[in-house]
Amino acid sequence: MIVTVVSMPEGGVTRTDVAEARERLATAGFLLVDVELPEEPSTGVPPVSHQLGLETEDFFWLGRKGEPARAEFLGDRAAFVVPVAKGNEVVHVHALVTERYLLTVHRGQAGLRESLIGQLRSEQPSDTVAMLFLLLQEALETYRRSAVQDLLLVEDLEDEMFEGRRPDQIYRLSQLRRHSALLHRTLLPYLQVMDQMFTRRMMNRGFPEERQLLAQEFQHTASLVHTDIESLQDASRRAFASYSTLVSGEQNAVINRLAIVSVIFLPLSFLTGFFGMNFTYLTDELESRAVFWLLAIGLQVVAVFVALYVLHRTRIWRSLRDEEGMGDR
């Protein structure tokens, strides 16, 4: 377990152990305490809330792996489970805020500690609630950066497909589409519980006006981030549709070639089959070499020229040539 304590408003950062962090949580004021737990939970270890002296059953879930999105008020305290986009996965930061401190607990490096400390030093929040909203905004920014980055990748892939379709492009599109679904699936429940909590609290007359402004700013940012993720999902669907259109176009070109071959060889096949029949007239009357060359070769040459003329007049050949020229560009 790695414990980092940030003293506000000066922003001093201290690495400490659980015992000292417990003492400072009980006595000092206006602190950020960040607890980094191992990736895999250990058996026989007391809950983080008990190790830090938070002797209440309301916070037994702090640091528990797989905890769903949460946003609730418990008297003078508020507890949250905040999703954070980290690469191709989503991790969760557990947060507990009181009037004196903000406690964050996460497994592994969630990627928010350094950026949040930098925000605290530059913004210098006036209380722990303002510090909490900096954490919430920073978590939303991870989703926004991830969605915008994936959106640019989808657009680049779509441009590459029109220049030349390759099998690896559909695999990369599938990965981006799965990631967009992950972002949407993890962010939406979190935004729903946050909206419910803010709606209940802001209807309370005792909710301070400055905190109402912070909540409204968070809701506005959350709406923009959710829109970015929906734009990513729409772009990935459009890219899949473009890929399917390109495949259909190639299949149509193949079918057109087969149709041309059929137009040319179908009359020939008919003549060959017709004169291969054992009718009495064919076997007894058509015996001279001149008749053979006239019917066997002449009719086939005429049939080929008629088929080519029909193709030319109907512009099928020309349209196929134009499609091939566009495909080579």
Side-chain angles (χ1 to χ4, degrees):
M1 179 185 298
I2 301 175
V3 182
T4 304
V5 178
V6 183
S7 302
M8 298 301 295
E10 62 271 12
V13 180
T14 306
R15 280 283 179 88
T16 183
D17 55 14
V18 177
E20 184 178 349
R22 177 173 181 166
E23 181 181 350
R24 296 187 67 175
L25 283 173
T27 58
F30 204 9
L31 294 175
L32 167 65
V33 178
D34 180 83
V35 179
E36 179 181 331
L37 301 175
E39 291 283 355
E40 296 298 329
S42 303
T43 59
V45 178
V48 177
S49 58
H50 291 175
Q51 295 185 55
L52 295 176
L54 309 175
E55 300 297 340
T56 174
E57 293 299 325
D58 294 327
F59 308 122
F60 68 94
W61 50 268
L62 272 176
R64 188 169 63 182
K65 193 171 184 178
E67 189 69 18
R70 183 189 299 265
E72 57 187 27
F73 272 93
L74 303 170
D76 59 345
R77 304 177 180 186
F80 304 85
V81 175
V82 184
V84 177
K86 179 185 176 184
N88 292 324
E89 61 179 358
V90 172
V91 298
H92 290 84
V93 175
H94 299 183
L96 174 66
V97 62
T98 69
E99 294 295 336
R100 295 190 301 105
Y101 60 82
L102 170 63
L103 171 65
T104 59
V105 182
H106 53 89
R107 293 196 172 272
Q109 296 181 357
L112 284 184
R113 181 169 52 205
E114 288 74 14
S115 59
L116 180 60
I117 291 175
Q119 288 286 337
L120 294 177
R121 288 173 174 172
S122 61
E123 297 289 339
Q124 294 185 351
S126 57
D127 56 17
T128 55
V129 175
M131 191 159 47
L132 168 69
F133 276 97
L134 285 178
L135 169 68
L136 301 181
Q137 293 282 1
E138 192 63 25
L140 287 179
E141 283 300 317
T142 62
Y143 273 83
R144 169 178 286 175
R145 288 192 293 267
S146 184
V148 171
Q149 181 181 0
D150 284 358
L151 181 60
L152 295 177
L153 290 176
V154 169
E155 292 177 350
D156 291 341
L157 272 176
E158 195 169 10
D159 292 338
E160 289 179 12
M161 285 189 302
F162 286 104
E163 294 177 0
R165 187 178 64 84
R166 300 190 308 274
D168 66 291
Q169 293 166 344
I170 193 68
Y171 173 76
R172 292 160 63 189
L173 274 177
S174 300
Q175 294 294 104
L176 291 171
R177 188 169 183 176
R178 289 179 59 188
H179 191 232
S180 68
L182 173 66
L183 294 178
H184 187 267
R185 185 173 64 250
T186 54
L187 183 65
L188 189 58
Y190 167 67
L191 296 183
Q192 289 176 344
V193 297
M194 292 295 286
D195 284 341
Q196 293 173 3
M197 185 198 68
F198 285 146
T199 301
R200 277 198 319 269
R201 293 297 296 176
M202 285 190 290
M203 292 177 61
N204 189 345
R205 295 180 180 179
F207 198 58
E209 183 177 354
E210 63 273 11
R211 296 183 180 178
Q212 291 185 21
L213 295 177
L214 290 174
Q216 291 171 359
E217 182 181 356
F218 170 83
Q219 290 177 314
H220 177 68
T221 304
S223 176
L224 294 178
V225 173
H226 188 249
T227 301
D228 290 337
I229 295 176
E230 289 182 335
S231 299
L232 171 60
Q233 290 183 308
D234 292 339
S236 61
R237 295 190 191 102
R238 184 182 66 244
F240 267 100
S242 299
Y243 190 90
S244 300
T245 301
L246 292 175
V247 172
S248 299
E250 293 177 1
Q251 292 176 343
N252 291 336
V254 172
I255 293 174
N256 287 339
R257 294 187 184 95
L258 293 176
I260 291 174
V261 173
S262 300
V263 169
I264 294 175
F265 285 95
L266 186 61
L268 303 181
S269 300
F270 171 76
L271 291 175
T272 302
F274 180 80
F275 285 102
M277 297 180 184
N278 293 323
F279 289 116
T280 302
Y281 179 80
L282 293 176
T283 57
D284 295 343
E285 300 296 332
L286 303 179
E287 296 179 348
S288 66
R289 183 176 298 178
V291 173
F292 169 77
W293 285 106
L294 177 63
L295 296 179
I297 305 300
L299 283 179
Q300 298 197 33
V301 172
V302 171
V304 170
F305 275 105
V306 170
L308 293 176
Y309 177 76
V310 170
L311 291 175
H312 176 73
R313 293 294 297 175
T314 55
R315 298 181 180 179
I316 296 177
W317 193 286
R318 188 179 306 172
S319 62
L320 181 61
R321 184 181 60 189
D322 293 340
E323 290 179 0
E324 290 180 349
M326 293 178 63
D328 293 337
R329 293 177 186 175

